[in-house]
Amino acid sequence: MLNNLKPLVLLLLLSVNTSIFAQTGYELGVLVGPVQMRSDFGLRGDKDTNLGNIGFGAGIMLDINPMDWGSRRDYVYDHFKLRFDLSFNKTTLKHYGKYVDSDSNSDDANKLRAQRGEAKNTSAGVALEYYPLSLRNFFYHFFDFSPYLILGVQYTFAQPGANTTDPDLIYSPWAPGSVKTESFYTSAINTGIGVRYKVSDYSDFLFEAQFQFFNSDWVDGLNHQLEYNKKNDSLIWFNFGYVYYLN
């Protein structure tokens, strides 16, 4: 009797596993766009700094969409996704603002004008995406636009570079040890806002603004600890993307 039941039990187990896999939506996406690096190069909040220290970023993402795990009345399954992502960004940095204005000809102003830096970051992370509108209704084309919010954590391999290791370029008000260009790992909080536009049954375009707040002030290689630049480094990534539904 038991031997006769074995094929039936095996068939039931395979059916359950197949059903669970089929109910899980996987979405693969690519992201590209400009990065605005906010660091100790230039003055924070200065318009010229924010417009000048801009680089480029690219990444891939995998979204797990659980909308079919529960019923239509399960709010969590119908409004949240889990994202895994891997990205790289690179920004060439220089000083902007009043301390390097063209009418300033002091030795320190000339030193700042001659300084160049580079921030290269490779980040992997996980995040929750929250969709105020129903994921099911968006999937079945009840509407074509779907906004969302992002909150997650990143682990970053930072590769700062700067010519400020030259003693002749060190800004005199900086404390000793304000320059360090060794590569290192750090964590970051990642937040953002975005919107998806449905292109077809199994693909979307998206536009995002991501804000990455590093747990370090050395991402750009500088940490001069002056009163007006004590915050940790951060960046804003404006990206465009394409997402394909794998199943």
Side-chain angles (χ1 to χ4, degrees):
M1 180 66 176
L2 291 176
N3 289 334
N4 293 334
L5 288 176
K6 285 181 180 178
L8 179 59
V9 172
L10 180 60
L11 181 61
L12 287 173
L13 289 174
L14 289 174
S15 299
V16 170
N17 288 335
T18 302
S19 175
I20 291 175
F21 181 81
Q23 288 179 346
T24 305
Y26 296 94
E27 304 166 8
L28 185 64
V30 292
L31 309 169
V32 293
V35 169
Q36 182 188 92
M37 191 73 195
R38 300 193 170 192
S39 70
D40 293 337
F41 276 88
L43 295 175
R44 291 185 183 253
D46 179 77
K47 180 184 66 175
D48 292 333
T49 298
N50 293 340
L51 293 177
N53 287 333
I54 291 180
F56 185 78
I60 58 174
M61 55 175 264
L62 176 68
D63 265 9
I64 298 178
N65 184 347
M67 67 176 186
D68 289 330
W69 289 6
S71 70
R72 289 182 176 273
R73 285 177 285 185
D74 291 325
Y75 187 87
V76 171
Y77 296 143
D78 197 30
H79 292 270
F80 287 91
K81 294 181 184 180
L82 183 64
R83 173 190 289 202
F84 298 92
D85 57 65
L86 178 66
S87 64
F88 174 80
N89 61 76
K90 178 180 177 181
T91 307
T92 300
L93 304 166
K94 61 183 290 189
H95 292 286
Y96 297 88
K98 62 182 181 180
Y99 295 104
V100 293
D101 283 345
S102 58
D103 57 355
S104 180
N105 294 311
S106 67
D107 287 342
D108 277 332
N110 290 329
K111 289 177 181 179
L112 289 178
R113 280 194 286 263
Q115 290 179 6
R116 294 292 183 272
E118 184 178 72
K120 293 193 295 184
N121 304 298
T122 303
S123 298
V126 60
L128 278 176
E129 297 176 357
Y130 168 64
Y131 292 77
L133 304 178
S134 167
L135 290 173
R136 292 187 183 88
N137 289 345
F138 178 66
F139 181 80
Y140 291 112
H141 290 270
F142 286 95
F143 40 82
D144 291 330
F145 288 91
S146 185
Y148 58 93
L149 301 174
I150 304 169
L151 179 61
V153 293
Q154 297 274 338
Y155 194 59
T156 297
F157 178 57
Q159 297 172 276
N163 66 353
T164 47
T165 53
D166 183 343
D168 294 334
L169 295 179
I170 298 297
Y171 188 55
S172 62
W174 293 355
S178 295
V179 182
K180 186 170 66 176
T181 57
E182 292 84 1
S183 300
F184 66 99
Y185 290 92
T186 187
S187 59
I189 298 295
N190 188 42
T191 66
I193 185 170
V195 62
R196 287 203 187 198
Y197 173 73
K198 183 154 288 298
V199 181
S200 68
D201 288 344
Y202 291 97
S203 61
D204 303 336
F205 285 138
L206 63 80
F207 172 72
E208 289 181 349
Q210 288 193 35
F211 305 86
Q212 195 166 349
F213 302 95
F214 298 103
N215 189 32
S216 171
D217 199 16
W218 291 105
V219 175
D220 62 344
L222 299 185
N223 183 6
H224 49 65
Q225 301 179 6
L226 296 183
E227 189 63 35
Y228 52 82
N229 258 0
K230 281 191 172 181
K231 294 182 179 179
N232 287 344
D233 297 328
S234 62
L235 63 81
I236 304 175
W237 184 21
F238 300 96
N239 64 66
F240 299 87
Y242 175 78
V243 178
Y244 183 76
Y245 294 61
L246 299 178
N247 63 318

